[in-house]
Amino acid sequence: MDTNVPHTICDAEEKDIIINILMDKSYFTASMLGQLSSNSIISDFILEAISHDRLHNRFLLFHCQNSDKLGSHVENLLCEFYEPSFCSKDIINAYMVLIFAEMLRHFQTDNNCKSANGKQNPILDILLYMEENFQSCTL
């Protein structure tokens, strides 16, 4: 969900587990976004979510409830978060990329469509340049 999207949770059953992962906009660096598939629905959504001039009222829904991999990735991410050790931040970032990639697989399967256009969003190129050249970058 984007920032400030009103939402509610339907009645949960006794064995349901609800996990809410909140990410600050600063988490999404150019290198993090670059690790996601070029022109993916997730990277496009994130780029719009972190922009200041957009109405923030969107969400994406992925039907991943039958994914054993996704459950395993989330479980491992939570273990790293709650029991941090050496390189935990890097490992958490890697799990986030795996989680986004697994969600993209399910999205692609659900829609039975493959992106024929491998063109990368130009904003990613600009953000990556700024991140790599922050000391000398000018307008």
Side-chain angles (χ1 to χ4, degrees), residues 20-129:
N20 189 13
I21 300 174
L22 302 174
M23 294 177 225
D24 194 71
K25 290 179 182 184
S26 63
Y27 177 76
F28 296 104
T29 62
S31 58
M32 172 63 163
L33 290 172
Q35 291 179 34
L36 300 175
S37 297
S38 300
N39 232 6
S40 77
I41 188 168
I42 292 177
S43 59
D44 289 347
F45 179 83
I46 292 169
L47 285 171
E48 288 189 26
I50 62 177
S51 88
H52 296 288
D53 61 342
R54 299 277 183 173
L55 179 62
H56 297 281
N57 63 354
R58 299 177 2 150
F59 64 93
L60 296 175
L61 179 62
F62 298 92
H63 301 281
C64 304
Q65 60 271 19
N66 296 325
S67 172
D68 292 332
K69 285 182 182 180
L70 188 60
S72 175
H73 295 331
V74 170
E75 185 177 330
N76 291 333
L77 179 140
L78 291 172
C79 287
E80 284 295 329
F81 182 80
Y82 286 109
E83 295 179 18
S85 61
F86 182 70
C87 293
S88 283
K89 185 177 177 183
D90 294 328
I91 293 170
I92 288 170
N93 289 341
Y95 278 124
M96 286 308 304
V97 171
L98 290 171
I99 288 167
F100 286 142
E102 187 66 19
M103 291 184 339
L104 282 170
R105 278 185 177 172
H106 285 273
F107 181 81
Q108 187 173 12
T109 302
D110 281 351
N111 291 308
N112 290 330
C113 66
K114 297 202 180 230
S115 176
N117 184 359
K119 190 171 120 185
Q120 188 172 346
N121 191 326
I123 294 175
L124 286 176
D125 291 332
I126 294 168
L127 289 173
L128 184 59
Y129 176 82

